[in-house]
Amino acid sequence: MAVEIVEVGPRDGLQNESALVSTAAKIAYIEALIAAGARRIEATSFVHPKRVPQMADAEAVMAGVPRRDDVRYIGLVVNERGLDRALAAGVDEVNVVVVATETFSERNQGMSVADALRSFGAISGRARAAGLRVTATIGAAFGCPFEGEVNPQRVAGLVKSCVDAGADEIALADTIGVGVPADVARLIAVSREVTDLPLRFHFHNTRNTGYANALAAVEGGATALDASAGGIGGCPFAPAATGNIATEDLTYALRRSGVASGLELSGVIRAAALIEKELGAEVPALLGRAGDFPGGSPETGV
Amino acid sequence: MAVEIVEVGPRDGLQNESALVSTAAKIAYIEALIAAGARRIEATSFVHPKRVPQMADAEAVMAGVPRRDDVRYIGLVVNERGLDRALAAGVDEVNVVVVATETFSERNQGMSVADALRSFGAISGRARAAGLRVTATIGAAFGCPFEGEVNPQRVAGLVKSCVDAGADEIALADTIGVGVPADVARLIAVSREVTDLPLRFHFHNTRNTGYANALAAVEGGATALDASAGGIGGCPFAPAATGNIATEDLTYALRRSGVASGLELSGVIRAAALIEKELGAEVPALLGRAGDFPGGSPETGV
């Protein structure tokens, strides 16, 4: 079994940290991630710098990262102005968020869900015409901080709309970290009724269910999982909470479960240590503190 | 589906915290846990006070806890002297640890595994004669900090020895937090080849796999799971690491997975807050920080 880990530390991780990290440090973090085996990296987001000052250097980051045929960079965009910037900066893929509930969509993106879907269609069409792959991320697919539970059928409807509007991949995001493996299985089932596109998942470990969810997603056939080295990122709706599932902790769990990810644990721990130093606060990831446990499976050693 | 949560915060939790907590605070913690629905509590251990000063007040704790027909107290014992004390203190059950590897057994209990099994037999016989239920906990069943991987067949052999020596329940402990759900399934399978006794699991979240393991254990038919309110406890072999899986985080995951545990989340969070204050340091559990869902969004207040 195998799954691709999409490294989102440089984007979703740093975007939700209060500390501002220099462009040079972001690039060093990305270089360390590539050295650890990361091959698909959400490097930055092209949003208004007043809204997300942590990502104000998007162009400079993209200008500074190493360009290799085997590494793809993703830029997050929320509108066509962002797409213009992403295209000019030379990203390989774009990720566009459509939030599952009206209240969260209005607060997060200042538009209704219907408008977000229209915007996704416009972005998707132009990005694909430019040769870029397009991911539609359904935000708050497992629950909304304002509206509470989200009906899986509503999520499936949004998945279908995004597929029809030209997505190459669907990502389902547990933005506030409320889901459990049973929710993952349910969302995979309803999504599979409307599409056979690759499914990617984005988990936060806000309530300590993120790793169980990640393993359940792999079990259910997900092709990609988002994670951030160090587990940085937090949750804007629960200020004291932890962030994305950590790449190193996920790498450990996958390796011991016999699932190939292409990542090398000690390298990811090094990347996390680097960004931990920049942020000046202990990261939530546990592998850096606990240490690896003998290279793998009980019988053979991976 | 249902599973019993064995609250081990007062024993395994406090035993591994450097702060010494007063007897009165321990009793208040236990009372808060009972108010939250805890009905089976590992209240203390009867070991030499020089080895584990945190548990030196075992008799005073047992003399002070509320006695109710619906609440069972477990005392951990490692030898017959400990059993004498546990019997005199009036515990309802004893838990005896047999470590899976020679090196860990020598370091932890100062005896070989064979001697530990003989000791278990002696303790078990006398405890059962006194009308107490006896649990055999196989320590380091998922991996050893000194010897590395532990062969599941070795664990199964120890399970069989403990069953033959009179255990009423078998607990499999991931003492250093290295396992993944596949390990849980494998250990359940090999244990089921040698016994149909109730299986209990003890997970540490040292490498962020504890909750996935707990859900996997329930899925595999485990009847009981250990957890500590607050997730207190740490790991003596990885000083910076987190401790037992947290009762409140487990309660959340189980409730949302449709598994009844009898615990009420807000009550467990209150018990954890109480012990957090005593320890003077933030506990690893996340539910107290993130808040329940839906019963409490960040906006509306929990």
Side-chain angles (χ1 to χ4, degrees), chain B residues 11 42 74-77 93-97 135-137 171 200 226:
Chain B
R11 202 281 300 171
E42 198 157 296
I74 307 169
L76 184 99
V77 304
E93 306 182 26
V94 291
N95 183 14
V96 187
V97 177
T135 299
T137 292
R200 167 178 159 191
D226 289 1

Side-chain angles (χ1 to χ4, degrees), chain A residues 254-300:
Chain A
L254 291 173
R255 189 191 69 191
R256 197 169 171 92
S257 303
V259 180
S261 74
L263 289 177
E264 195 271 306
L265 183 55
S266 63
V268 182
I269 291 174
R270 275 193 292 275
L274 189 153
I275 203 68
E276 180 171 66
K277 202 173 155 199
E278 289 295 326
L279 293 171
E282 189 174 63
V283 297
L286 297 183
L287 258 293
R289 286 182 249 167
D292 195 6
F293 181 73
S297 87
E299 261 64 29
T300 59

